[in-house]
Amino acid sequence: MQLKSFNFTKRYILALSIIALLSAFAYFNLQHLISSQYINGNLINISGKQRMLSQQISLNSIYYKIGSLKDRIDEMEKNHKQLLSYPLSSELKKIYFNNPTKLDYEVKIYLKHAKIFLKSRSGKSLTYLLNNSKILLKDLDKATTIYVKEAKDSTKLLKTVELFIFLTTLLTLFFEAIFIFRPANKQIAEDKKLIINEKDYSNIVIESSTNAIITLDSQLNIKRYNKMAEKVFGYKREDMLNRKSFSKIIPLFREQNIDTFLDTLKLLSIKDVQELEGLDKSGNRFPIRISFGLNRSENNLLIVANIQNISKEKLKDKLLEQQSKFAALGEMIAIIAHQWRQPLAQLNFNNIYLKRKINDKELKSELEDNENIIQFMSDTITNFQNFYKKDDTNREFYISNSIEQVLKILDSILKLKEIKIDKNLDPTIKTYGNSNSFSQVILSIIQNAIDVIVSRGIENPNISISVKKEKKIITIEIEDNAKGIDVHPISNIFKPFTSKKLKPSTGVGLYMCKMIIEDKFKGKIEAENRENGAIFKLILSNI
């Protein structure tokens, strides 16, 4: 609930002003009380002393103590003038200047006779002093009583004012608590709750995001690192927060300060989505899609990076591209087959015709060789056509047939590179699935072996292929003598974007091989190094 009925700041300032004013009043009242008590005490003291001096003057006159008499006269005269120098109340004015007391006049006459006696030892003045000392004492008592009473009244009044100020201050604080601090505290609590709710909502949104969200401060320290960022890059949140760690997961920003970082963002066109390269904790590089946002305030800068791992998307694109290549190859081979079938058939017919017409045994032998060449060409076209034709159907097929088909496709390159093939194939072992997909996996593995053998210049190159079955488990092993795989750990060869091959391949890649075996055949593929080379194992459940 917002404070609609009043402006909190104005009310708060007003309340503070009232308290400050009351505090000032209390201070000045206290100072006045102290000053008043001092003055009143001094007046009471002087007034009381006048009583004593009047009697001492009388006694000193009787006993002719002239030295003391003079001092007492001077002191009493001085005190009288001092008492009259202060503001007098109406009651004191009556005592000092009005009948019947006329204390001012009585004191002055009394002092006058005391001075005459001091000077001339007048008996008349002595008689006056003796006759009027008690009367004067009585009048001085009246004045002293009034001084005491007025001092008490003044102190009581100032205490009453002090109490009023105190109560008013308490009342002001009470109303502040009721009408300012209570609603303000309630508003602050509600605002705090709202902020917490908004923060919780923001946290939920960020943490549930399918993208990695990372925020950086002006020093490039990571301030936010959500769960998806942990999943994408492999680093735990506690390993990344409040550290300059952004550069180790996005290599483009290596060795940069905030200025060069912002310059790089400008070059990337900060508002555009960019495709860069990410680096995870294991050292694997992978494609990412990244966008940045900047939030500038007067003394702060917040950089937000929204990151998406697009490895699967790129793999799908690559798979589609590969499928397109296969489809294009299939169409091209179909066209070649269509163009070559008729000429090959004509050549074969001509060959048969010539064999019938001639009797020369040597020429007939040559014609028979030509027939074999023509048949080989026809079979080769058929093999390529069958391998690359589009076929998504699943059925039972003989594993040895798929492997032999691949070896026929690779026959020329195997002979050219003088690579020996050792086969241990059981022609009775069958499995269920898409035979073309399986053949593509075998082709990719053997192609990789051929590439490594050629690049490393292996002497007496050899590739052995075996198929065996134990109970319901089928194991296909493809082993070479190319000195092994130099990827560590070796399982990384099945991860996407880890290939070190420079030339393009007609196979589907080891990652896609893994996908095919796992998704389409519910099996698994493994690799390990042996003494002389590497071995790939395809393990299928023949259910």
Side-chain angles (χ1 to χ4, degrees):
M1 181 182 121
Q2 295 183 352
L3 302 179
K4 299 178 180 178
S5 59
F6 62 89
N7 184 301
F8 172 75
T9 303
K10 290 181 179 179
R11 286 290 181 95
Y12 187 68
I13 292 173
L14 177 61
L16 287 180
S17 299
I18 292 172
I19 291 175
L21 187 61
L22 290 170
S23 298
F25 284 157
Y27 171 77
F28 289 117
N29 185 67
L30 181 61
Q31 292 297 316
H32 184 60
L33 176 61
I34 294 171
S35 176
S36 177
Q37 285 182 333
Y38 174 76
I39 293 172
N40 289 334
N42 192 35
L43 290 173
I44 293 169
N45 183 50
I46 294 172
S47 177
K49 199 171 183 180
Q50 290 292 77
R51 296 166 61 251
M52 180 187 67
L53 289 172
S54 68
Q55 300 306 304
Q56 286 179 348
I57 288 172
S58 177
L59 290 173
N60 287 336
S61 298
I62 294 172
Y63 295 106
Y64 287 87
K65 292 182 179 181
I66 303 305
S68 296
L69 177 61
K70 183 179 184 309
D71 292 338
R72 299 297 175 264
I73 292 171
D74 292 340
E75 187 175 358
M76 185 173 181
E77 187 174 32
K78 179 184 175 183
N79 287 346
H80 184 68
K81 289 179 180 179
Q82 188 173 355
L83 287 172
L84 294 180
S85 67
Y86 288 98
L88 299 174
S89 66
S90 59
E91 195 169 356
L92 284 171
K93 286 180 180 179
K94 289 179 182 180
I95 291 291
Y96 275 102
F97 304 112
N98 296 343
N99 290 321
T101 309
K102 296 181 68 176
L103 183 59
D104 176 54
Y105 174 78
E106 293 294 334
V107 169
K108 288 178 179 178
I109 293 295
Y110 190 80
L111 290 173
K112 179 181 177 183
H113 283 286
K115 289 178 182 179
I116 292 171
F117 177 80
L118 177 65
K119 187 175 182 181
S120 61
R121 309 297 186 273
S122 170
K124 184 179 179 180
S125 294
L126 178 60
T127 302
Y128 180 86
L129 292 174
L130 294 174
N131 291 336
N132 288 280
S133 64
K134 288 187 178 180
I135 297 172
L136 183 61
L137 178 62
K138 183 178 179 182
D139 292 337
L140 288 172
D141 278 339
K142 288 181 181 179
T144 302
T145 301
I146 293 173
Y147 277 119
V148 172
K149 179 178 178 298
E150 288 185 351
K152 288 182 178 179
D153 291 343
S154 176
T155 302
K156 184 178 180 182
L157 176 62
L158 291 174
K159 286 184 176 180
T160 302
V161 172
E162 188 70 24
L163 179 61
F164 172 78
I165 294 172
F166 174 70
L167 294 175
T168 305
T169 303
L170 289 180
L171 190 62
T172 302
L173 290 173
F174 174 76
F175 282 115
E176 278 188 8
I178 295 297
F179 297 106
I180 297 178
F181 293 110
R182 184 183 176 188
N185 186 58
K186 184 178 180 182
Q187 180 65 34
I188 291 169
E190 290 182 357
D191 288 346
K192 181 180 178 181
K193 184 178 179 181
L194 181 62
I195 290 170
I196 291 172
N197 289 340
E198 288 178 352
K199 185 178 179 181
D200 289 343
Y201 177 75
S202 176
N203 287 339
I204 291 171
V205 171
I206 291 172
E207 292 301 324
S208 62
S209 174
T210 56
N211 290 356
I213 297 176
I214 302 172
T215 62
L216 312 173
D217 62 14
S218 58
Q219 302 301 315
L220 298 182
N221 292 311
I222 292 179
K223 308 306 292 184
R224 195 69 181 262
Y225 190 82
N226 71 347
K227 290 181 180 178
M228 185 53 68
E230 290 184 320
K231 184 177 180 180
V232 170
F233 295 103
Y235 292 97
K236 294 296 182 182
R237 190 173 318 194
E238 54 269 22
D239 298 329
M240 302 295 282
L241 290 180
N242 299 313
R243 292 181 173 89
K244 293 181 175 67
S245 302
F246 190 73
S247 58
K248 71 180 182 182
I249 59 176
I250 310 295
L252 178 65
F253 297 96
R254 285 261 172 93
E255 305 297 331
Q256 290 193 342
N257 56 35
I258 185 64
D259 294 329
T260 54
F261 188 96
L262 294 176
D263 289 341
T264 303
L265 292 187
K266 287 180 181 177
L267 291 174
L268 291 175
S269 183
I270 188 171
K271 293 183 179 179
D272 296 335
V273 176
Q274 303 291 335
E275 290 191 4
L276 301 178
E277 192 176 60
L279 184 66
D280 66 17
K281 189 175 182 179
S282 301
N284 298 317
R285 293 176 180 265
F286 55 93
I288 60 172
R289 186 174 291 123
I290 187 169
S291 61
F292 291 92
L294 293 182
N295 184 10
R296 294 180 183 271
S297 61
E298 190 171 336
N299 298 315
N300 194 23
L301 171 67
L302 186 68
I303 304 169
V304 181
N306 194 318
I307 305 169
Q308 181 183 6
N309 185 346
I310 55 173
S311 299
K312 290 184 179 180
E313 183 179 322
K314 290 293 183 182
L315 285 168
K316 287 180 181 178
D317 292 343
K318 190 174 181 181
L319 187 58
L320 288 173
E321 180 185 352
Q322 194 68 35
Q323 290 172 345
S324 298
K325 285 182 181 179
F326 269 85
L329 281 170
E331 291 176 2
M332 184 177 66
I333 290 171
I335 292 171
I336 293 172
H338 179 74
Q339 293 291 332
W340 283 17
R341 291 289 185 192
Q342 185 63 32
L344 287 175
Q346 186 63 48
L347 284 173
N348 193 48
F349 177 78
N350 292 340
N351 202 59
I352 293 171
Y353 177 78
L354 289 173
K355 279 174 64 178
R356 290 177 180 177
K357 291 295 182 179
I358 61 176
N359 295 317
D360 191 305
K361 292 183 178 181
E362 187 175 346
L363 286 175
K364 282 187 176 184
S365 176
E366 288 293 330
L367 290 172
E368 287 176 357
D369 289 341
N370 287 342
E371 284 181 6
N372 291 331
I373 292 171
I374 292 169
Q375 186 61 44
F376 173 77
M377 292 177 68
S378 179
D379 291 344
T380 299
I381 290 173
T382 300
N383 286 333
F384 275 93
Q385 194 172 11
N386 290 336
F387 184 82
Y388 286 105
K389 73 179 179 180
K390 185 177 181 180
D391 184 6
D392 295 328
T393 57
N394 292 327
R395 61 173 67 89
E396 269 196 332
F397 63 92
Y398 290 100
I399 291 176
S400 60
N401 289 349
S402 292
I403 295 173
E404 292 289 1
Q405 185 183 32
V406 170
L407 293 176
K408 287 177 183 178
I409 296 295
L410 297 173
D411 184 64
S412 59
I413 187 67
L414 291 170
K415 288 180 179 178
L416 178 65
K417 301 301 180 181
E418 297 180 343
I419 298 173
K420 181 183 177 183
I421 298 293
D422 292 330
K423 296 182 290 184
N424 182 16
L425 309 178
D426 186 338
T428 65
I429 297 176
K430 295 189 293 183
T431 192
Y432 182 83
N434 184 273
S435 60
N436 270 10
S437 296
F438 182 80
S439 297
Q440 289 167 17
V441 172
I442 300 298
L443 174 67
S444 182
I445 294 173
I446 296 176
Q447 265 192 328
N448 284 338
I450 293 171
D451 291 342
V452 176
I453 285 170
V454 172
S455 65
R456 293 179 178 176
I458 303 299
E459 295 182 1
N460 302 317
N462 177 76
I463 298 174
S464 63
I465 306 169
S466 67
V467 179
K468 57 185 177 181
K469 179 181 178 182
E470 293 182 5
K471 296 182 179 180
K472 293 185 178 182
I473 302 299
I474 300 171
T475 304
I476 301 100
E477 294 184 350
I478 302 173
E479 185 175 3
D480 60 53
N481 64 340
K483 299 182 180 179
I485 299 167
D486 60 357
V487 175
H488 302 283
I490 199 169
S491 59
N492 281 351
I493 62 171
F494 297 110
K495 290 184 178 181
F497 310 107
T498 58
S499 174
K500 297 180 180 178
K501 292 171 63 176
L502 298 178
K503 76 182 194 70
S505 169
T506 56
V508 292
L510 291 177
Y511 175 77
M512 294 183 190
C513 289
K514 183 173 183 290
M515 288 176 59
I516 290 171
I517 295 299
E518 289 179 352
D519 295 344
K520 295 188 176 182
F521 291 90
K522 308 304 178 187
K524 60 181 180 178
I525 182 170
E526 299 174 348
E528 62 179 84
N529 286 325
R530 294 283 177 90
E531 184 178 354
N532 296 319
I535 182 170
F536 284 83
K537 293 182 181 180
L538 278 63
I539 302 169
L540 311 178
S541 298
N542 189 33
I543 299 176

